[in-house]
Amino acid sequence: MPELPEELRRAHLIGIGGAGMSGIARILLARGAFVSGSDAKESRALLSLRAQGAELFVGQSASNLSALSEPPSAVVVSTAIKETNPELAAARAAGIPVLHRAQALAGLMAGHRVACIAGTHGKTSTTSMLTVALQHCRLDPSFAIGGDLNESGANAHHGEGGLFVAEADESDGSFLTYSPSVAVVTNVEPDHLDHHGTAEAYTKVFSDFVGRIEPGGLLIVCGDDEGAEALGDEAEKRGLRVQRYGREVGGVDDVRITSYEPLPDGGIVRIALRGEPVDVRVAVPGEHMALNAVAALLAGLELGAPVPGLVAGLAAFGGVRRRFEFKGRAGDVRVYDDYAHHPTEVAAQLRAVRTAAGSGRVVVVFQPHLYSRTKTFSAEFAAALSLADEVVVLDVYGAREEPEPGVTGALIADQVTAPVHYEPAFDVAAPLAAGLAKPGDLVVTMGAGDVTQLGPEILAELDKR
């Protein structure tokens, strides 16, 4: 086991229940660190970490730090933690080192061969596919993912295999802390402009990320995506080794997708790999998921895993929580939940949902995420949502942002061409969606906010019928 960095041996994580922070905590605990932390409310993540030995506080206060038997060797924060946070302020006043969560994760990567999965869309799914495929090859990688694997229910794990697979988050530029030997970029499309400011600045951060690949390492990009393809071209000019995948690629080392067959429960993608046809079964629907599987296959090959084991592992991949997650069936209506929160993601997922729905209709309940994203992409969201048969648009989930005058869910709903209902009252959404659904239909709740809570409520409303 690589030696734990000194500053992480007694780590206190503020916001420890979050997807990224709880994953770091899991790995720290597995590697023998004393872990403490706090979050605003009790959660499944806190219950799990407490059972593993973490000392946790519900509520954030300077007194949490003084309540510990020894001062922490470092306090770990994410970008979401403001300088006014009482625990962060107390740590700075006491001279305790403060690390961004990406710095902590980079410390845990030391001594491993690292694969980082980046891109505007598909990071979590691709990272998860690669992890499961490597596990199927009995390589036991360490991993840190922005979602829970359906296979294990975990978002992170300390493995003994010498490999580390991580989702690399570009939203705040923190992935520039990592130095992978294998990097995947699924796509590059403007997003998170609240942080980066301009599309050009957003693109540049990916270029900077590619510059951090270890000498002799590999960049894997989707050749069908304009932004990723341009990034690959730039990387080659800088002397980096690049491999592309997609329908439109044709280089000597590229991997071309020759066909995709959609199935009700997934699909089969055929690729030309080293001149030989290889069929990859994917148990999640949508050609975008097939692309993610091919990216995972190539990363796994670069890490030394065999083709048969990787293909078998990808076929066994059961998905990720909140990525087209089946919530239940009532009255011959199926209900799913999905994290899509960018227009491209929404469109790709609704095309996949259409295949899964068969002869039934698609009813989508969409919650916009962030005022800045809603304002910038309202027309694109409306066009994507118009792929459904019935659309319910909720009000904006602001998350870290303050409301903007005139920016509501109506900004999107007014431009949707399918039958649409703008419903600002959250408690009305479940009965509304259930009332729209007919036998054989598929309902999907969609967005990055608390819309995920509606699935069970919709099922309950359907049961009443």
Side-chain angles (χ1 to χ4, degrees), residues 123-308:
K123 294 184 292 293
T124 300
S125 295
T126 307
T127 311
S128 302
M129 288 176 174
L130 174 57
T131 297
V132 171
L134 292 172
Q135 288 175 332
H136 203 84
C137 296
R138 303 191 178 186
L139 294 175
D140 191 22
S142 296
F143 64 85
I145 308 172
D148 292 343
L149 290 176
N150 285 347
E151 281 81 1
S152 63
N155 60 346
H157 165 71
H158 168 66
E160 301 293 342
L163 301 177
F164 202 118
V165 179
E167 180 176 341
D169 180 19
E170 87 288 355
S171 64
D172 57 1
S174 61
F175 67 167
L176 298 181
T177 308
Y178 312 139
S179 297
S181 60
V182 183
V184 174
V185 176
T186 55
N187 38 60
V188 180
E189 188 176 357
D191 196 9
H192 302 291
L193 301 186
D194 56 317
H195 176 84
H196 295 286
T198 65
E200 292 76 17
Y202 180 81
T203 300
K204 184 180 183 301
V205 80
F206 278 95
S207 176
D208 293 342
F209 170 67
V210 167
R212 295 192 58 82
I213 296 175
E214 290 182 350
L218 176 67
L219 171 65
I220 300 169
V221 298
C222 179
D224 294 348
D225 178 79
E226 184 178 343
E229 170 68 10
L231 187 68
D233 290 345
E234 177 193 341
E236 282 184 328
K237 292 176 182 176
R238 292 156 64 178
L240 292 172
R241 193 160 55 98
V242 177
Q243 187 174 32
R244 297 170 178 81
Y245 62 95
R247 287 186 179 272
E248 307 299 325
V249 301
V252 174
D253 295 322
D254 294 346
V255 173
R256 187 166 58 87
I257 293 174
T258 58
S259 68
Y260 173 72
E261 178 187 355
L263 300 171
D265 58 349
I268 299 174
V269 59
R270 172 164 287 190
I271 61 176
L273 180 65
R274 300 165 184 164
E276 297 293 330
V278 175
D279 287 347
V280 181
R281 174 68 186 262
V282 186
V284 282
E287 190 165 352
H288 63 301
M289 286 295 187
L291 279 169
N292 293 340
V294 175
L297 174 67
L298 299 184
L301 289 173
E302 179 66 16
L303 292 171
V307 173

Side-chain angles (χ1 to χ4, degrees), residues 12-17 36-43 46 50 55-68 81 85-88:
H12 183 85
L13 286 71
I14 304 176
I16 196 170
S36 61
S38 64
D39 213 332
K41 59 183 180 181
E42 192 66 75
S43 66
L46 263 64
R50 194 178 286 116
E55 184 174 346
L56 303 180
F57 304 90
V58 176
Q60 294 175 345
S61 166
S63 62
N64 291 344
L65 292 179
S66 57
L68 298 172
I81 303 300
N85 180 283
E87 289 179 32
L88 177 56

Side-chain angles (χ1 to χ4, degrees), residues 328-352:
R329 181 192 293 265
D332 202 28
V333 175
R334 289 172 290 161
V335 178
Y336 289 80
D337 181 45
D338 195 84
Y339 191 68
H341 57 282
H342 183 281
T344 301
E345 296 168 351
V346 172
Q349 197 57 60
L350 286 177
R351 284 192 289 267

